[in-house]
Structure formats: structure tokens, C-alpha cells
Amino acid sequence: MSLERDSALPLYLQISRAIEAKIEGGHFGPGQMLPSETALCRHLSVSRITVRQAFEDLLTRGLIDRRQGKGTFVARPLIRTGLSGADRLFDTLFAQKHAPSSRLLAFGLQDSPADIAPFFDCPEGGQLMRLDRLYLLNDRPVGMVVGWLRAEVAAISREEAASHSTAYLIERVFGQPIKKSEVSIRAASAGRETAQHLKINERAPVLVLHRRRLLQDGRTADVVRAYMNADSYEFSIDNVLGLDSHPSLTLVAA
């Protein structure tokens, strides 16, 4: 890394752009620790204030993270989405540029749990379709979805389910679009099973998204519980006045 001291571009911006180029080029990978402020000051013969300004620029643009007492690290890919992204998690994932992928964890008819059956007017123990997925960016797990759908979805092949969103499968089977989504999001600890899939500590925080989608005829299409790595997802409200056009969202403090 070299600096042009006669350039009109401030030194701190030269440093931040040089680090950004190394991140984009793969020299510094997601989660990797960057050189310390002291090391950069010595290497580049600049003041600590200049290096700190460069880090602040990178931090503001979401390219790095600072961890108290540990250092500065390249930020892991973050899925940023509006409220509509809570309605189509599969499509939101595959809109990302960081090598998105998904894996089916479960696919088949199962007896409906007591807390799920009432949503489908299904007797407890009646058959529903179980469809669980693991979402990944750059082969790193970022979310796990546990889903229940109407039994008719069993007509879909496992191969088709693996390569298409659940919304697509629903519309294909029932021949009608999803009319309404009810969504709530809360923070919680991962727990053993979720931690194993997401490869995080059992006590690590996750965002838990509960979602129910209804067909045009009013029947429940699916009920989903999604566990999202807290450092991988960010939900935002872009236009408060336009909330009527988005899924109903409830934020709950756990």
C-alpha cells in the first residue's frame, strides 16, 4: 500500500480506498483482522488521526467492524432488506452478490405439531408438508427456515423445491398468488439445534422471524419460523407512509 502525498485526494481516503480494494480483491476476507492503527501508522508514516479517519470511512460504509478490545475486522456480508424482504426470504438471499446458496434440510409430509395445526384448520397429528432450508453466503450459514405448508405441496419434487422459492411453489400448486403476510420479528438466543446449523454459539443472538402467508381464498398457505444470524441481516423501513403496501411487521423485544 503506497500513498501519493501530492494528490488532491486526502490521505485518509487514499488509505480507505486501498483497504477497500484489498477487501474487494479478496486479500482481506470476511471476518479477517486488519492491521492495527499503530501498524498502519508506522507502515505508511501517517498520523493516528489519519488512519482513524480511514477506518471511520470504511466503518460508515459497512466494510469493517470494530470489536472492543479485539481489533478491526472485515465485515461479513450483510443482507439488507426492507419489510418486503421478510415476505420473500429466498428471493432476498439470491439477490445478494456474495455467492448465495441454500440447502434443503427437510422435505416431506409429517404430522402437524399442536401449535401449527390450528393455522391450517388441521386436526392435531394431521399431515402437513415440512420444508426446512439453510441459507448461506460464501458457504457461511446465515439463516435457517423451518416451514409448514399445506399437504398439497407434496406434489412438488424435492429437486424443484430445492431450486425455487416457497412462494413460487405455493403459487404453482394452488394457482393463486399470496394475498397477505403476517410477520413478527424478535431477538432470542440461538439454542442448540439452530446453533449447530448456523455454526454459532448456543447463546449467540439470532433474529427469529415468524411468518404466516394466506392465499387469495383466505386459507393459510404456509407458516414459517426463520432463525437469522444477527450479524448477517438488517431490516429497514424505507417509507413509513407506504407501510400498507408491505407485510404487517411487529417488532418484539425478547
Side-chain angles (χ1 to χ4, degrees):
M1 186 187 303
S2 61
L3 303 177
E4 297 181 12
R5 300 184 186 274
D6 295 330
S7 171
L9 190 66
L11 291 177
Y12 82 91
L13 283 180
Q14 293 185 47
I15 296 170
S16 69
R17 290 184 181 181
I19 294 174
E20 180 181 3
K22 287 182 177 293
I23 293 173
E24 293 293 332
H27 182 80
F28 294 133
Q32 184 175 344
M33 187 175 182
L34 294 175
S36 67
E37 290 183 3
T38 301
L40 285 174
C41 288
R42 291 173 180 169
H43 177 67
L44 299 173
S45 299
V46 294
S47 69
R48 183 178 292 272
I49 292 176
T50 298
V51 173
R52 192 163 293 168
Q53 285 178 310
F55 278 171
E56 286 297 332
D57 177 63
L58 294 165
L59 187 66
T60 300
R61 293 188 289 127
L63 295 175
I64 63 171
D65 291 322
R66 278 181 168 168
R67 303 175 194 172
Q68 188 68 34
K70 294 185 177 180
T72 303
F73 299 79
V74 178
R76 296 190 181 277
L78 181 66
I79 299 176
R80 292 184 173 90
T81 180
L83 298 187
S84 59
D87 189 42
R88 293 182 178 263
L89 297 173
F90 186 93
D91 295 332
T92 299
L93 173 79
F94 280 90
Q96 308 303 310
K97 65 178 182 178
H98 299 283
S101 61
S102 70
R103 300 174 192 163
L104 281 184
L105 299 176
F107 181 76
L109 290 169
Q110 293 186 16
D111 293 344
S112 59
D115 61 332
I116 297 295
F119 291 110
F120 295 89
D121 295 323
C122 174
E124 184 178 343
Q127 295 274 283
L128 290 173
M129 191 66 184
R130 177 76 177 266
L131 198 164
D132 298 355
R133 301 183 195 265
L134 183 68
Y135 292 155
L136 306 98
L137 289 179
N138 291 330
D139 288 326
R140 173 179 176 256
V142 295
M144 181 182 77
V145 176
V146 177
W148 295 92
L149 299 90
R150 307 194 74 83
E152 294 92 322
V153 179
I156 296 291
S157 70
R158 185 180 183 91
E159 292 72 22
E160 191 171 6
S163 58
H164 291 88
S165 69
T166 306
Y168 169 87
L169 301 179
I170 290 170
E171 293 175 10
R172 182 181 181 284
V173 170
F174 297 102
Q176 53 181 297
I178 294 168
K179 178 183 179 181
K180 180 183 178 182
S181 292
E182 300 168 348
V183 179
S184 65
I185 300 176
R186 69 167 62 234
S189 298
R192 180 177 299 176
E193 182 180 358
T194 301
Q196 288 176 346
H197 284 295
L198 297 183
K199 297 181 180 179
I200 57 178
N201 188 282
E202 292 182 22
R203 296 184 178 180
V206 293
L207 297 176
V208 184
L209 180 147
H210 297 261
R211 186 189 68 203
R212 177 192 180 204
R213 294 189 291 195
L214 287 80
L215 297 167
Q216 288 283 349
D217 61 16
R219 290 181 297 165
T220 296
D222 71 341
V223 173
V224 159
R225 184 176 292 117
Y227 302 89
M228 296 168 288
N229 200 326
D231 67 1
S232 299
Y233 276 85
E234 177 181 282
F235 289 93
S236 62
I237 300 175
D238 299 321
N239 184 358
V240 176
L241 297 178
L243 282 178
D244 288 343
S245 64
H246 293 289
S248 173
L249 178 70
T250 303
L251 299 179
V252 183

